[in-house]
Amino acid sequence: MSRSERGVPDWQIELAPSRALSRDQNGHLALTLQIVRLGEQLATAQLVLTMADAERLHAALCYALNGEPVPDDAPECRKPIQYSGGRQRF
């Protein structure tokens, strides 16, 4: 049985630890990812997004996360805003 059949993928692309999101000289956003095979880091690569791409990704993630519980350490934009009158907005 291969590793991927046991639920452990052979290849993974994930956020690189301790690498922050940054802006390049053109104002694009750059997110550092790491490429891992069989648990061993092989390389890092940057995902560079235009502002429009970042907005589309943000919208897609917000849509995908809708209804999911918000962890305590979530960014402020994931926490509900309580308005007067008792209604909530995310």
Side-chain angles (χ1 to χ4, degrees):
M1 177 182 287
S2 76
R3 288 174 58 98
S4 55
E5 290 177 63
R6 292 179 290 181
V8 178
D10 292 342
W11 291 89
Q12 292 177 287
I13 299 175
E14 54 195 36
L15 293 174
S18 71
R19 299 282 180 105
L21 181 69
S22 61
R23 279 186 200 258
D24 69 12
Q25 64 275 12
N26 297 320
H28 296 116
L29 298 172
L31 184 61
T32 304
L33 304 173
Q34 65 182 11
I35 302 165
V36 178
R37 182 167 187 256
L38 301 173
E40 180 182 342
Q41 181 183 334
L42 299 177
T44 59
Q46 284 196 327
L47 173 63
V48 178
L49 302 165
T50 64
M51 287 300 168
D53 290 337
E55 287 290 349
R56 282 191 290 274
L57 178 58
H58 181 258
L61 291 170
C62 286
Y63 182 77
L65 290 169
N66 187 31
E68 293 294 320
V70 179
D72 292 335
D73 62 346
E76 197 64 35
C77 66
R78 279 279 282 141
K79 296 180 179 161
I81 300 168
Q82 190 71 39
Y83 290 97
S84 60
R87 66 183 216 274
Q88 282 187 343
R89 183 171 171 214
F90 293 88

